[in-house]
Amino acid sequence: MSEQSGNREVAAQAARQRWLAVLARAGVAELETQLARHALPALSWLRRPESGLMMVRARAGGTGQQYNQGEVSVTRCAVQDETGRLGVGYVQGRDSRHAELVALFDLLLQDETRQADLLPGLIAPLAARQAAARDKASAQAAATRVNFFTLARGD
Amino acid sequence: MYVAVKGGETAILNSYALLADARRGDTDVPELSVAQIRQQMRLAVARVMSEGSLYDEDLAALAIKQAAGDQVEAIFLLRAYRTTLPRFGYTLPVDTARMGIRRRISATFKELPGGQVLGPTYDYTQRLLDFTLLANGVATEPPAQAEALPADMPRVTDLLAGEGLIEPETPPDGDPAPVDLSREPLKFPADRATRLQNLARADEGFLLALGYSTQRGYSHTHPFAGEIRMGEVALEIVPEELGFAIEIGDITLTECQMVNQFAGSSTAPPQFTRGYGLAFGEAERKAMAMSLVDRSLRSQELAEAIKSPAQQAEFVLSHSDSVEASGFVQHLKLPHYVDFQSELELVRRMRATHGQPTPEEETA
């Protein structure tokens, strides 16, 4: 593998990580509306949506040895198109349709022509809204930051 | 002769109906929705998730509704439900350094980088009943906003570690996978990973009392709340289909880093030691109590005298689980008719012979 194609692969993986993270945090209603605007290719479900558990790991002291904190509910599925592309949906929670929608968009986003439409049309606005919600929570927390001051004592 | 006794089916079925009716209460009062419990009783939801050992706000809220607010019963319901689901695997260890912070305080450094962020806390409320809530007249003033917090909020323990003043907390060689108490029984001696999993799902009241006992002199650990932080942390997994890490959502966590004194030894210079607490959701009391007990259970590795209950791993870890404890205490309600009958016979016989001379005395 040449260095150039290796770099392309790394970039493609990073892009996919990004859209999967955004889709996993998106609302189902919104994804449903967006999906209605796209003609789906012929598909086969390699794994129908199933809900289960994953054990959340943490580290002693935040940085030390691993331990098991407790489980989290997760729903997953996988879909394939005729070219063999694989769309993967993993979401926190038990919403089967959410996992399906993530897998379908993951599949569509791997098609370069659709990607050119979906990245700015779907992923970017979703990401912006998610960032805005995080910023708002952070800004509200920041308003509760303590500003210490020292009272001057009179002599 | 053994005589099987049957009966009670109708009584039990009628008790179900009566229980459902009691749970619902007066039907002139609107029924609580699971969404309302999830939104407006979030601290109850957090506790049920932590001790139920399952992060799912909807299911925890449902369990609370079904249990009519009985937390230990709700925790039991969630634990029972989890056994019906397949296990897909493990997440990557959560990185609390990258938490989207909503609260972060330190009792050890006033002016720490990033500052003291109070967040949504009851700490500074006056604990006076708010009768506007009784009248459903909630003040709806939106929370104030300031410039968003810096993305990077260093941990207080990392600041101390920079000077070598606190014991380092690094993964052991090879970063081994920990014991999983949801698949393996608790065995002693229990390593720290095992203890932390046990404490993470331990009953908050039990940990609180034990933690309190360490402060009152039953094991001296001299704790300082180095840092408490609460906020959202990304969940990362490596799906088998992909082979690389992806984020599948966020969970709310509360972390407490307790900083404790340590005198040092002939081989180690004096440095602070650590106790760690982490809990699902907003659960500061739980995280603090857990960090106190984590530290007291480290007595053996730190060569401290083991004299108090909170230092005794076998005592603490065997009695920390509310599902097990509640099950064993409450099993006393179940029929023990035959057991008791035999005891009854025995006591009657002993009473009948009480005060009479024993055969030895008679022959003497």
Side-chain angles (χ1 to χ4, degrees), chain B residues 266-281:
Chain B
S266 56
T267 53
Q271 63 182 174
F272 290 108
T273 57
R274 298 161 178 254
Y276 189 63
L278 186 69
F280 286 155

Side-chain angles (χ1 to χ4, degrees), chain A residues 13-147:
Chain A
Q13 180 177 314
R16 196 167 175 199
Q17 284 172 314
R18 183 174 140 76
W19 75 57
L20 283 172
V22 170
L23 292 168
R25 292 181 171 98
V28 170
E30 181 155 32
L31 295 179
E32 203 77 79
T33 312
Q34 290 281 340
L35 190 74
R37 297 172 37 201
H38 296 272
L40 290 175
L43 301 167
S44 60
W45 288 95
L46 294 185
R47 180 183 267 148
R48 293 268 166 198
E50 56 173 344
S51 292
L53 303 169
M54 293 192 87
M55 179 56 86
V56 178
R57 289 229 163 111
R59 290 187 181 280
T63 51
Q65 72 183 95
Q66 296 185 45
Y67 74 95
N68 294 308
Q69 176 70 27
E71 288 166 315
V72 62
S73 51
V74 173
T75 302
R76 66 178 178 185
C77 63
V79 66
Q80 198 168 33
D81 69 6
E82 285 174 331
T83 69
R85 280 197 198 103
L86 185 70
V88 173
Y90 273 84
V91 296
Q92 186 194 328
R94 287 167 305 107
D95 192 330
S96 300
R97 187 58 186 159
H98 190 189
E100 280 181 351
L101 288 162
V102 172
L104 290 170
F105 277 114
D106 182 42
L107 191 71
L108 296 178
L109 276 154
Q110 292 171 61
D111 177 336
E112 278 178 19
T113 50
R114 291 187 196 251
Q115 190 185 100
D117 170 39
L118 283 168
L119 281 183
L122 173 69
I123 301 300
L126 282 176
R129 235 169 304 144
Q130 290 166 12
R134 275 195 295 271
D135 283 350
K136 185 182 174 191
S138 183
Q140 289 178 344
T144 68
R145 178 156 47 187
V146 180
N147 293 311

Side-chain angles (χ1 to χ4, degrees), chain B residues 19-248:
Chain B
L19 175 67
D21 189 67
R23 182 188 60 68
R24 177 61 183 85
D26 184 350
T27 51
D28 288 341
V29 177
E31 181 167 355
L32 264 179
S33 73
V34 168
Q36 284 173 324
I37 295 170
R38 177 179 168 169
Q39 288 293 319
Q40 298 174 38
M41 305 197 79
R42 67 187 202 291
L43 303 182
V45 168
R47 181 168 177 188
V48 171
M49 293 195 302
S50 255
E51 296 176 34
S53 202
L54 174 57
Y55 195 105
D56 188 311
E57 291 169 312
D58 287 327
L59 292 179
L62 170 61
I64 290 168
K65 176 172 175 171
Q66 187 177 332
D70 181 340
Q71 296 254 288
V72 174
E73 183 71 19
I75 288 157
F76 193 168
L77 291 172
L78 206 57
R79 286 270 191 99
Y81 177 76
R82 70 158 285 284
T83 63
T84 66
L85 294 177
R87 170 73 76 77
F88 294 162
Y90 296 85
T91 72
L92 295 178
V94 288
D95 186 359
T96 53
R98 291 194 298 142
M99 179 182 278
I101 288 191
R102 287 194 289 131
R103 170 166 167 83
R104 189 275 204 122
I105 55 163
S106 170
T108 53
F109 294 104
K110 181 164 66 93
E111 305 278 1
L112 74 169
Q116 308 264 1
V117 179
L118 303 182
T121 178
Y122 282 95
D123 285 356
Y124 305 97
T125 62
Q126 292 181 309
R127 266 79 182 215
L128 299 174
L129 280 176
D130 179 357
F131 287 94
T132 59
L133 292 174
L134 184 65
N136 283 333
V138 186
T140 50
E141 199 178 312
Q145 295 190 29
E147 195 184 330
L149 296 168
D152 181 34
M153 295 275 252
R155 292 193 182 97
V156 166
T157 45
D158 294 345
L159 302 176
L160 284 169
E163 281 187 73
L165 291 171
I166 193 164
E167 56 177 345
E169 192 82 270
T170 49
D173 284 346
D175 201 8
V179 164
D180 186 352
L181 287 176
S182 69
R183 324 212 106 184
E184 295 163 55
L186 177 62
K187 286 192 224 123
F188 298 100
D191 66 6
R192 189 160 178 221
T194 307
R195 300 196 304 257
L196 285 169
Q197 184 179 7
N198 178 287
L199 298 178
R201 58 185 199 171
D203 181 73
E204 181 176 313
F206 181 73
L207 289 190
L208 183 66
L210 281 174
Y212 180 40
S213 77
T214 70
Q215 292 178 282
R216 291 192 63 257
Y218 290 88
S219 116
H220 291 279
T221 55
H222 304 282
F224 296 92
E227 183 181 329
I228 294 165
R229 54 171 62 193
M230 182 277 289
E232 281 63 48
V233 176
L235 270 187
E236 282 185 291
I237 65 165
V238 180
E240 55 197 19
E241 302 93 334
L242 296 178
F244 55 83
I246 59 166
E247 293 179 5
I248 60 165

